Amino acid sequence: MFETITLETDARGVATLTLNRPDKHNAMSAQMLADLTDAAAKIAADDAIRVVVLTGAGKSFCAGGDLAWMRDQMSMDAETRSAEARKLATMLGALNTLPKPLIGAVQGNAFGGGIGMACVCDVALGVDTAKLGLTETRLGLIPATIGPYVLARMGEGRARRVFMSARLFDAGEAVDLGILARSVPAEDLAAAIEREVAPYLSCAPGAVAAAKKLARDLGPRIDTEVVDHTIAALASQWESPEATEGIGAFFDKRKASWAP
């Protein structure tokens, strides 16, 4: 049914949603965005699903944007780039408002949009060997469409420690920043996720959905106006000379002009 993800549900109603492009480090392509958006709608409509675990196949959780997708965007006009950014925003919004608990199992590295994926989870646990980073500014871009979810999870003060610097950090710092609730050895991740899943199976599904909606209603505002602002900000940055230089340098395998 899906090209870039898998969705499996066990007899208890625990669904596992897996990013399934291990050879590409689960980088997000246009097809993956469409698959995830469709999967979110399917999960939301399935009363048999009680809890959802989001994870990745292979060594990486999610490496951010797919390189071919980014290369294609270099030749797009501003309107088309905005439409592509909206696909990402739509997918993140669908997962963020999913009327089921969403538990992230970050089994490997997460960069750029991968951080956004972790931040739309209600709770995310990660392996203690994972490296993470909001790496967009290294390419002359900004973490725009994921920004509302990153700020909602981390708070502005903590987010500003890593939001603009593109530096990589380890799982321990990811816990301190609020991206991960806990980091555990790889061999303990499955058991730790199960401990997060189990309590929900004793809860009334409708009450869980209502409580999650209330938390979202009371939390930082992430509405159409905010999403449109992030899309416009990203589209504007794509038009900048820095984006042209940064992305060009990346594909040319050279240092950008601002790099030492």
Side-chain angles (χ1 to χ4, degrees):
M1 180 178 180
F2 301 113
E3 293 182 29
T4 64
I5 64 174
T6 63
L7 177 61
E8 300 175 340
T9 305
D10 69 18
R12 302 174 300 166
V14 178
T16 301
L17 180 59
T18 305
L19 309 180
N20 193 30
R21 302 183 74 212
D23 57 320
K24 301 293 185 183
H25 296 276
N26 298 319
M28 291 184 290
S29 63
Q31 184 61 53
M32 181 180 278
L33 300 183
D35 284 348
L36 285 167
T37 302
D38 290 346
K42 179 180 174 67
I43 291 166
D46 190 344
D47 292 339
I49 294 178
R50 303 281 301 275
V51 189
V52 184
V53 175
L54 174 64
T55 192
K59 295 181 178 180
S60 298
F61 175 66
C62 177
D66 179 77
L67 299 183
W69 185 43
M70 290 179 60
R71 189 189 295 273
D72 288 345
Q73 290 189 67
M74 290 180 70
S75 60
M76 294 175 181
D77 58 28
E79 183 177 356
T80 307
R81 285 193 191 121
S82 294
E84 291 299 298
R86 189 169 298 280
K87 292 176 184 178
L88 174 57
T90 298
M91 180 274 289
L92 291 169
L95 290 178
N96 192 56
T97 57
L98 196 69
K100 323 272 179 158
L102 181 61
I103 299 170
V106 181
Q107 91 296 350
N109 295 346
F111 304 121
I115 301 287
M117 294 287 281
C119 288
V120 298
C121 294
D122 298 305
V123 61
L125 311 182
V127 295
D128 55 11
T129 54
K131 297 295 183 183
L132 303 92
L134 291 153
T135 52
E136 289 87 347
T137 54
R138 196 176 295 165
L139 300 176
L141 296 174
I142 55 177
T145 43
I146 65 172
Y149 309 101
V150 172
L151 270 290
R153 172 58 59 83
M154 298 165 65
E156 182 184 350
R158 287 185 296 181
R160 283 168 65 167
R161 286 164 48 183
V162 294
F163 199 70
M164 305 86 74
S165 68
R167 72 173 175 85
L168 303 186
F169 48 92
D170 62 20
E173 186 170 1
V175 173
D176 184 55
L177 289 166
I179 300 169
L180 301 177
R182 291 189 301 284
S183 65
V184 298
E187 62 270 21
D188 296 338
L189 182 61
I193 292 296
E194 180 58 29
R195 286 192 291 273
E196 294 292 335
V197 167
Y200 285 110
L201 302 179
S202 299
C203 296
V208 170
K212 180 170 178 175
K213 183 179 184 302
L214 180 61
R216 183 74 291 282
D217 290 344
L218 296 175
R221 181 171 64 96
I222 306 176
D223 57 13
T224 301
E225 182 180 356
V226 169
V227 170
D228 287 349
H229 177 69
T230 66
I231 291 170
L234 181 58
S236 176
Q237 189 63 29
W238 264 102
E239 296 297 311
S240 72
E242 285 188 344
T244 301
E245 166 64 10
I247 296 169
F250 180 81
F251 283 117
D252 292 344
K253 297 182 179 180
R254 60 176 174 83
K255 290 185 177 181
S257 59
W258 53 76

